[in-house]
Amino acid sequence: MGLVEQFRRLESGLPDGWQSAHLRLFVTDESDAGRAAALLGPTNPGRRGKAIDFWMGRRGAGVGPDGIGALLRRLDVESIQGELEIMHVEEQPAPEDAGRQTLADAWDAADATLPPDWSDLYAEVELSSSDYIEPGAVRLSPLNPTRPDARPLFRFRAARKFGYGASPEMVRRCLERLDEAGMAGELRILNVVSDSYPAKTQGPVWYAGGKVI
């Protein structure tokens, strides 16, 4: 059975309210795995041996079903064989509790308390479930986040005008993407520098545990 046909059968079994899905392709011939991962490039796949993990979403949460089908069709054309599985499905979140602050709102609140001349900051967002690590990393990827340990925690830098780090607008949009996928969490500002003027650098250097961050 071709990969497109496998995918359409799996897709037909998704719940009505699905929001995103984690898929895994086990390539029959490991020598084809590199090419398969390259063809699935728009999904930002991860590969380990014969296994290739990638994600599908809708309503802007990732590459949609039609796009996934088109990518898998390219693998079929190149006679790349394998078995496709759905590893995890996220359903549309229930209506938000009016008392719960979203991550985008938390960013707005934090931004309002920062010095008006802040130039650089170091922050972290800790998600409420380890199930969110991989899809969360995809949604936060424009921030170039790092993970200090096994917790579902991501750290990133932001720069208000210039230098190393994402813009405040990009930070907010990435946090908004987590909100849209129903990924709850907590945002914390760790360090802030005001009115910096990098001289032949990309911004201030912070150290944590003896490492440059």
Side-chain angles (χ1 to χ4, degrees):
M1 185 187 301
L3 295 174
V4 172
E5 186 177 354
Q6 292 182 50
F7 172 66
R8 292 307 179 193
R9 291 191 178 188
L10 293 172
E11 182 191 9
S12 67
L14 290 172
D16 291 339
W18 75 272
Q19 175 75 9
S20 63
H22 171 193
L23 296 97
R24 178 170 293 165
L25 171 63
F26 290 96
V27 182
T28 302
D29 187 341
E30 189 169 352
S31 65
D32 290 330
R35 179 58 179 159
L39 292 172
L40 292 169
T43 67
N44 194 26
R47 178 195 164 195
R48 179 173 296 179
K50 292 184 176 183
I52 301 172
D53 291 273
F54 58 101
W55 287 263
M56 170 178 69
R58 58 182 180 180
R59 300 186 183 93
V63 179
D66 290 342
I68 295 294
L71 294 173
L72 292 172
R73 189 170 293 109
R74 294 168 65 185
L75 273 69
D76 283 340
V77 168
E78 297 202 15
S79 299
I80 296 175
Q81 300 179 341
E83 297 292 329
L84 193 62
E85 297 181 6
I86 292 180
M87 308 303 295
H88 178 72
V89 177
E90 291 181 5
E91 297 191 46
Q92 182 72 23
E96 287 186 4
D97 181 349
R100 183 174 72 83
Q101 186 182 48
T102 66
L103 289 168
D105 287 342
W107 172 256
D108 290 340
D111 189 29
T113 66
L114 293 174
D117 62 345
W118 78 270
S119 54
D120 305 86
L121 65 78
Y122 187 51
E124 67 181 21
V125 57
E126 184 168 6
L127 302 177
S128 59
S129 171
S130 59
D131 289 340
Y132 298 154
I133 291 175
E134 291 177 333
V138 173
R139 289 166 174 81
L140 292 172
S141 59
L143 307 184
N144 193 27
T146 60
R147 291 185 55 221
D149 49 48
R151 292 175 295 168
L153 186 148
F154 299 88
R155 289 178 176 164
F156 59 90
R157 290 183 61 165
R160 189 164 64 94
K161 292 184 178 180
F162 51 78
Y164 181 80
S167 68
E169 295 79 12
M170 179 57 73
V171 173
R172 191 185 195 285
R173 178 55 190 141
C174 289
L175 294 174
E176 199 171 45
R177 292 173 68 189
L178 297 177
D179 292 331
E180 290 168 355
M183 299 183 194
E186 182 179 356
L187 175 71
R188 293 182 283 266
I189 306 297
L190 303 177
N191 297 98
V192 180
V193 172
S194 293
D195 202 23
S196 68
Y197 289 95
K200 298 182 180 180
T201 70
Q202 294 188 13
V205 176
W206 283 297
Y207 290 88
K211 295 182 180 180
V212 176
I213 57 176

